[in-house]
Amino acid sequence: MTFRCACGREIAGPGCPACGALYDLRPGWRAVRCACGATALAAPGQVGTSIPCAGCFLRVAVPPDAPPAPPVLKRPPRGTSTAVSGGIRDRLRWLFPLTLLPLLIHTFHAGDEPSVRDLMRRAVEENPVVVEPGVIIATVDDLFRVLRIERVEGAFHSRFTGAHWLYAALAAAGFWALIVGLFPLGRANSLHLWTVGLLIGTGGILLLLGLHRLPFVKVMYDAAFGETGFVTSLVGYTLGIGVCEELVKLLPLAVVFRKGGTLDVRGAVAWGLAMGAGFGVSEAVFFSANAYNGLRPGGIYVVRFVSVVALHMAWSGTAAAWLWTRRDEIGDAEHAWSGLWPMLTASAGSILLHGLYDGFLKFGVGITALCVAALSFVYFFWSVDRKLAEERG
């Protein structure tokens, strides 16, 4: 089979002798056009079956007469760039770190906030009641009902409010607008962002809850949240929470690369940002319902739905940029599990920063945790610029 290289020369092999471009010919692979307009690539053993589309994630049939898949450019011609110019958004993206302002203000003005246990002890002292026989108090919600109160002193919302769902919707829309407005999407599009964000915010969270049942993960979570020293907690936060959360957030992108998706660096980073936003918003809903409603002042909601969501975006966006360089390794892997190592190495820096941030917060070193958050953004921009330079060749 012959095809036309990007330089205009007709070639038959994987390499162009004129410009140095290198192609992956993918012998036996087929190209199928989806109704959404995207092209899905089918491996030789998938002819006659159906495969998920990388654009809309719906399944598309692979007929026996499907045309051969076109060659995939692995190395661009000398002196050219496959990166799409980001224009003014390449400069506007530097506004992204402003999302840390709520965390900055909270760090220096929050003071020593009492624990949930101390808050509830104070509420019991202020609202003494006689607990009737047979009444079981198993959760904080049960205690609020027994005490017949809606909130403790200083709390912004009632314990039984649904306001956090409104905050979730506003945060999701706001961060979608931020990604579209500040970051060039490359070969990604708005539908991709909503799809992977919702996927991680729902299915990703459920998968994470399933991982919590694994013995090793349970040990790491006990080390992170238990009455342990700093080093033990840091190991737990890194190898338990950091590894599980960052790998779960990276899964959709790894699947697309596994299926032969052709996202560029900008597109991969946009996916990473959206996956981090979906996870962060879902996590914020959980913490609001369980640890903030009826207990905490209003500032903590802003920190959780803005700064912490942005932190998750920076971590997963960084990992996505590094995973882009391992896309061929994932696509050529003999088994799906073989792609786990590239995912782990791509997200290693984000995992470490994630563990450090959580560890310092647990021990009340808020200023150091803020520095780790700032470093996470530095690492994000450095990684993206480095991968864009690699893409340009």
Side-chain angles (χ1 to χ4, degrees):
M1 179 186 75
T2 62
F3 61 95
R4 189 172 296 278
C5 176
C7 69
R9 179 166 179 165
E10 198 79 15
I11 61 176
C16 177
C19 68
L22 182 64
Y23 294 85
D24 184 357
L25 301 183
R26 296 189 179 276
W29 284 61
R30 305 296 181 94
V32 186
R33 190 75 170 176
C34 179
C36 73
T39 299
L41 300 180
Q46 294 176 319
V47 175
T49 64
S50 63
I51 59 175
C53 171
C56 64
F57 295 98
L58 297 177
R59 300 193 73 84
V60 57
V62 184
D65 59 346
V72 177
L73 182 65
K74 296 181 66 175
R75 187 179 67 206
R78 291 186 292 268
T80 64
S81 172
T82 60
V84 179
S85 174
I88 192 173
R89 284 186 291 182
D90 273 336
R91 296 185 292 275
L92 289 177
R93 63 187 180 134
W94 295 101
L95 297 175
F96 184 35
L98 292 178
T99 53
L100 286 183
L101 280 177
L103 179 62
L104 174 67
I105 296 172
H106 179 78
T107 299
F108 288 99
H109 291 89
D112 296 327
E113 293 186 349
S115 65
V116 172
R117 183 177 299 176
D118 292 337
L119 289 170
M120 295 313 301
R121 183 184 298 112
R122 187 183 306 167
V124 171
E125 293 173 353
E126 296 173 354
N127 302 273
V129 295
V130 177
V131 180
E132 298 179 2
V135 174
I136 299 176
I137 303 177
T139 66
V140 176
D141 289 356
D142 294 336
L143 186 54
F144 269 89
R145 292 189 182 97
V146 169
L147 296 176
R148 297 185 180 87
I149 60 174
E150 292 286 328
R151 71 191 79 197
V152 300
E153 182 181 355
F156 187 70
H157 280 302
S158 162
R159 179 63 186 176
F160 308 103
T161 184
H164 49 279
W165 291 107
L166 173 61
Y167 297 156
L170 293 174
F175 279 111
W176 167 80
L178 182 146
I179 298 172
V180 172
L182 301 188
F183 293 91
L185 301 186
R187 294 176 187 160
N189 58 49
S190 182
L191 177 61
H192 291 169
L193 304 185
W194 280 108
T195 302
V196 297
L198 290 171
L199 182 65
I200 290 299
T202 54
I205 295 295
L206 293 176
L207 176 59
L208 186 65
L209 293 176
L211 292 176
H212 290 176
R213 298 178 179 274
L214 298 177
F216 175 77
V217 177
K218 290 178 67 176
V219 170
M220 290 296 102
Y221 268 68
D222 290 341
F225 294 111
E227 298 295 330
T228 55
F230 177 77
V231 175
T232 303
S233 293
L234 181 60
V235 171
Y237 277 118
T238 304
L239 298 184
I241 297 173
V243 169
C244 290
E245 292 189 2
E246 296 307 320
L247 290 185
V248 164
K249 287 189 288 182
L250 211 54
L251 267 178
L253 187 60
V255 170
V256 166
F257 285 148
R258 173 72 176 169
K259 297 297 182 180
T262 56
L263 283 173
D264 55 0
V265 172
R266 298 185 192 277
V269 170
W271 274 48
L273 292 170
M275 293 183 292
F279 186 95
V281 169
S282 185
E283 185 184 67
V285 169
F286 173 84
F287 274 93
S288 296
N290 291 278
Y292 301 159
N293 290 345
L295 296 167
R296 296 297 185 188
I300 193 65
Y301 294 92
V302 183
V303 173
R304 176 59 67 171
F305 280 98
V306 177
S307 297
V308 178
V309 173
L311 257 181
H312 277 291
M313 292 169 65
W315 290 328
S316 56
T318 303
W322 285 93
L323 190 67
W324 176 86
T325 63
R326 313 293 295 271
R327 64 195 185 283
D328 292 334
E329 186 176 342
I330 294 176
D332 297 337
E334 184 176 354
H335 304 289
W337 285 106
S338 304
L340 187 60
W341 178 248
M343 291 175 62
L344 190 60
T345 54
S347 56
S350 298
I351 290 171
L352 178 59
L353 289 167
H354 194 157
L356 285 170
Y357 177 79
D358 288 345
F360 286 125
L361 276 187
K362 175 184 176 179
F363 285 89
V365 194
I367 295 178
T368 308
L370 178 65
C371 292
V372 173
L375 180 61
S376 299
F377 278 80
V378 172
Y379 182 49
F380 166 73
F381 285 113
W382 176 81
S383 299
V384 172
D385 286 342
R386 177 170 176 174
K387 297 310 165 187
L388 285 172
E390 290 182 15
E391 187 181 31
R392 298 185 189 102

